[in-house]
Amino acid sequence: MTDFQPADPQWEARVRASFDRLGIMKTLGARLGKIAPGSVEILLEYNEGLSQQHGYFHAGVTSTIADSAGGLSAYSLFPVGRAALSVEFKINMLNPADGDCLRAVGKVLKLGRTLSICEIEVYSQRQERESLCAKMQQTLFQVAART
Amino acid sequence: MTDFQPADPQWEARVRASFDRLGIMKTLGARLGKIAPGSVEILLEYNEGLSQQHGYFHAGVTSTIADSAGGLSAYSLFPVGRAALSVEFKINMLNPADGDCLRAVGKVLKLGRTLSICEIEVYSQRQERESLCAKMQQTLFQVAART
Amino acid sequence: MTDFQPADPQWEARVRASFDRLGIMKTLGARLGKIAPGSVEILLEYNEGLSQQHGYFHAGVTSTIADSAGGLSAYSLFPVGRAALSVEFKINMLNPADGDCLRAVGKVLKLGRTLSICEIEVYSQRQERESLCAKMQQTLFQVAART
Amino acid sequence: MTDFQPADPQWEARVRASFDRLGIMKTLGARLGKIAPGSVEILLEYNEGLSQQHGYFHAGVTSTIADSAGGLSAYSLFPVGRAALSVEFKINMLNPADGDCLRAVGKVLKLGRTLSICEIEVYSQRQERESLCAKMQQTLFQVAART
């Protein structure tokens, strides 16, 4: 799925544990999807508590799962004892996020010692159909993890 | 506070009603702060359900209240029967969002018939101190409101 | 190369004529590369007059050819009598732009009646090797063309 | 003009020397305006070689002077022997850049040991009038300068 070699053989357990520490993911009801070295997916089913004024997913909600999909994509490649902090991101809303479920897929574009760059695509799923509803570019900073 | 004249004398009631339709604001626990024509403030007290892996406010949460502070700032200037959709935004995290409360303040930079541009500053408050923790630039699209 | 059908059978001549009206492209020495409906390439050979303080291509120069590669990619799909204006863009510099030549490749992510979204990759070429040095996300506004 | 204290008493001479090493500034015809610790201005008079298809300043040209105004604003505060590289930036075009002269004003929002964040406003001047035509948010990386 990606060309990256994880620095830590335990990368998958580490990604899952990091996701579990994200309080906001429980609040939103998000869950991990497919994960691979350098590419992490987050899924989020719709409920009214995630909506903007027209009943769609709020752009901030879309951004929240995209931001973590990107952060965990980079984190999956980091050595043990490191963490990923979001420096900045930019997101375009391409189509209404009006589906039953969102699927955010992160991908590392550049893995650096200090900065890593990801892009994240978010798809809106309704029944059998899926459309690209948002795209993010994101910069991450690698820091020592807090224990 | 701003130089803008609202097109609708009932702008304040309209902004409050629009905020109340944002399901995600209830989920996060956010509330409206000061509002003026072209500038809307959103406040959010910390709880563990809003956190990233180190216990700070998640960048997506910061983005969510910033996005709505900007959207409502533009919306406050729109004529009756119109709504603001986020086209895109970009946010820089300047300092850790490690306070007890976040305060997002929107400001309209350009009000256009189709597109409006806002900037939003987010402050992290701890006891008496406040620091700028994030800044967003945002593009909004003016559409007919759904009733 | 792309799934898009151009609205105008004369799209290629129109893209070439539009490129020729861009005064800055002559100033920089940029030229059109491959063009397809929804995807336009711009090439730029290095000279010292394009440099930042370390002698690499200046990030603004990289942005300039990326912005026009994106704008022309969308324009190639527009009906006759329309033009593309840049609303905003965001660019990440992934690797030093230290090659002999830059190659910017635009791609339309979303073609809309009013707004279109493109992404643009910029590659730095040195002898036989090429590396991704920058990536842009861009929003364009479709307006009536000036004659 | 700003609250920042420059780390190097020779900051002004260093900023002027750094500007003079930017080959693209000569090519465009840009010149330094007012400079203060943490805030550098760049001016650019119009000529046809700077234009987009309608004869206005090209958005890439606007970005080029904004990027350097931001980079030099941060650089003015750096210790001796350091340089500022652009990690990423995002720019919104607020109004047509149709003036006789552009004026880009950089401002440091956050000065960090590794990353600094600037915002840059670009004004379009025509005779006595000036309007805000673009706004940029920018992330810079502090590296050892090359000699």
Side-chain angles (χ1 to χ4, degrees):
Chain A
M1 193 171 179
T2 59
D3 298 335
F4 292 108
Q5 290 299 320
D8 170 19
Q10 308 298 322
W11 66 272
E12 184 171 343
R14 219 162 26 89
V15 167
R16 293 188 184 281
S18 183
F19 181 86
D20 289 343
R21 283 194 299 273
L22 301 170
I24 186 64
M25 294 300 148
K26 288 184 200 69
T27 300
L28 300 181
R31 62 185 203 277
L32 275 175
K34 289 180 206 156
I35 68 177
S39 180
V40 167
E41 188 181 85
I42 295 178
L43 304 168
L44 178 59
E45 264 150 71
Y46 181 76
N47 72 69
E48 284 189 4
L50 305 176
S51 68
Q52 40 86 286
Q53 72 274 24
H54 296 158
Y56 303 158
F57 284 96
H58 191 281
V61 170
T62 306
S63 299
T64 301
I65 62 167
D67 178 51
S68 279
L72 291 169
S73 294
Y75 179 69
S76 72
L77 303 175
F78 285 2
V80 175
R82 308 297 288 171
L85 294 181
S86 294
V87 167
E88 61 84 33
F89 61 75
K90 182 261 201 286
I91 187 166
N92 277 84
M93 273 52 79
L94 304 175
N95 286 298
D98 59 356
D100 306 315
C101 186
L102 293 184
R103 183 170 75 90
V105 189
K107 188 174 87 173
V108 176
L109 284 181
K110 164 80 190 284
L111 177 68
R113 272 189 307 172
T114 306
L115 297 182
S116 295
I117 318 297
C118 291
E119 64 180 6
I120 304 98
E121 295 186 334
V122 186
Y123 298 89
S124 176
Q125 304 180 314
R126 181 180 286 280
Q127 296 165 349
E128 306 298 296
R129 291 191 55 227
E130 191 178 71
S131 63
L132 182 64
C133 71
K135 186 144 192 181
M136 179 184 280
Q137 275 187 215
Q138 178 198 41
T139 307
L140 297 150
F141 199 95
Q142 192 181 134
V143 295
R146 306 190 164 198
T147 48
Chain B
M1 194 170 178
T2 61
D3 299 335
F4 291 109
Q5 289 301 320
D8 171 17
Q10 307 298 322
W11 66 273
E12 183 170 343
R14 219 162 28 88
V15 166
R16 293 189 183 281
S18 184
F19 182 85
D20 289 343
R21 284 194 298 274
L22 300 170
I24 186 64
M25 294 300 149
K26 288 184 201 69
T27 301
L28 299 181
R31 61 185 204 277
L32 275 176
K34 289 180 206 154
I35 69 178
S39 180
V40 167
E41 187 181 85
I42 296 179
L43 304 168
L44 178 59
E45 264 150 71
Y46 181 77
N47 72 69
E48 285 189 3
L50 305 176
S51 68
Q52 39 86 287
Q53 72 274 21
H54 295 158
Y56 303 159
F57 284 97
H58 191 282
V61 170
T62 306
S63 300
T64 300
I65 61 167
D67 178 52
S68 280
L72 291 169
S73 295
Y75 180 67
S76 72
L77 303 176
F78 285 2
V80 175
R82 309 297 287 172
L85 295 181
S86 294
V87 168
E88 61 84 33
F89 61 74
K90 182 261 202 284
I91 186 166
N92 276 83
M93 271 55 76
L94 305 176
N95 286 298
D98 59 357
D100 306 316
C101 185
L102 292 184
R103 183 170 75 90
V105 188
K107 188 174 88 172
V108 176
L109 284 181
K110 163 79 190 285
L111 177 69
R113 272 188 308 172
T114 306
L115 297 182
S116 295
I117 318 296
C118 291
E119 64 179 6
I120 304 98
E121 295 186 335
V122 187
Y123 298 89
S124 177
Q125 305 180 313
R126 181 180 286 279
Q127 296 165 348
E128 305 298 295
R129 290 192 55 229
E130 191 178 73
S131 63
L132 182 65
C133 71
K135 185 144 193 182
M136 179 184 280
Q137 276 186 214
Q138 178 199 41
T139 307
L140 298 151
F141 199 95
Q142 191 181 133
V143 295
R146 305 193 164 196
T147 47
Chain C
M1 192 171 179
T2 61
D3 300 334
F4 291 108
Q5 289 299 319
D8 171 17
Q10 308 299 321
W11 66 273
E12 185 170 342
R14 219 162 27 87
V15 166
R16 293 189 183 282
S18 183
F19 181 85
D20 289 343
R21 283 193 298 273
L22 301 170
I24 185 64
M25 294 300 148
K26 287 184 201 69
T27 300
L28 299 181
R31 62 186 204 277
L32 275 176
K34 290 180 204 154
I35 69 178
S39 181
V40 167
E41 188 181 84
I42 295 179
L43 304 168
L44 178 59
E45 264 149 72
Y46 182 76
N47 73 69
E48 285 189 3
L50 305 176
S51 68
Q52 40 86 287
Q53 73 274 24
H54 295 159
Y56 302 159
F57 284 97
H58 191 282
V61 170
T62 306
S63 299
T64 300
I65 62 167
D67 178 51
S68 280
L72 290 169
S73 295
Y75 179 69
S76 71
L77 302 175
F78 285 2
V80 175
R82 308 296 289 172
L85 295 181
S86 294
V87 167
E88 61 85 32
F89 60 75
K90 182 260 202 284
I91 186 165
N92 276 83
M93 271 55 78
L94 305 175
N95 286 298
D98 59 356
D100 306 315
C101 185
L102 292 184
R103 184 170 75 91
V105 189
K107 189 174 87 171
V108 176
L109 284 181
K110 163 80 189 285
L111 177 68
R113 271 189 308 171
T114 306
L115 296 182
S116 295
I117 318 297
C118 290
E119 63 180 8
I120 304 98
E121 296 186 334
V122 186
Y123 298 89
S124 177
Q125 304 180 314
R126 182 181 286 279
Q127 295 165 349
E128 307 297 295
R129 290 192 55 228
E130 190 177 73
S131 63
L132 182 65
C133 72
K135 186 145 193 181
M136 179 184 280
Q137 276 187 212
Q138 177 198 43
T139 307
L140 298 151
F141 199 95
Q142 192 182 133
V143 295
R146 303 191 166 198
T147 47
Chain D
M1 192 171 179
T2 61
D3 299 334
F4 291 108
Q5 290 299 320
D8 171 18
Q10 308 298 322
W11 66 272
E12 184 170 343
R14 218 162 29 87
V15 167
R16 293 190 184 281
S18 183
F19 182 85
D20 289 343
R21 283 193 298 274
L22 300 170
I24 186 64
M25 294 299 149
K26 289 184 201 70
T27 301
L28 300 180
R31 62 185 203 278
L32 274 175
K34 289 180 205 155
I35 69 178
S39 181
V40 168
E41 188 181 84
I42 295 178
L43 304 168
L44 178 59
E45 264 150 71
Y46 181 77
N47 73 70
E48 286 189 2
L50 305 176
S51 68
Q52 40 86 287
Q53 72 273 23
H54 295 158
Y56 302 157
F57 284 96
H58 191 282
V61 171
T62 306
S63 300
T64 301
I65 61 167
D67 178 51
S68 280
L72 290 169
S73 294
Y75 179 68
S76 72
L77 302 175
F78 286 1
V80 175
R82 308 296 288 171
L85 294 181
S86 294
V87 167
E88 61 84 33
F89 60 74
K90 183 261 201 287
I91 186 166
N92 276 82
M93 272 55 77
L94 305 175
N95 286 298
D98 59 356
D100 306 316
C101 186
L102 293 184
R103 184 169 75 92
V105 188
K107 188 174 88 172
V108 176
L109 285 181
K110 163 80 189 283
L111 176 69
R113 272 189 307 172
T114 306
L115 296 182
S116 295
I117 318 297
C118 292
E119 64 179 7
I120 303 98
E121 295 187 333
V122 186
Y123 298 89
S124 177
Q125 304 179 315
R126 182 181 285 279
Q127 296 165 350
E128 306 298 297
R129 290 191 56 227
E130 190 177 73
S131 63
L132 182 65
C133 71
K135 185 144 192 180
M136 179 184 280
Q137 277 188 212
Q138 178 199 41
T139 307
L140 298 151
F141 199 96
Q142 191 182 132
V143 295
R146 306 193 164 197
T147 48

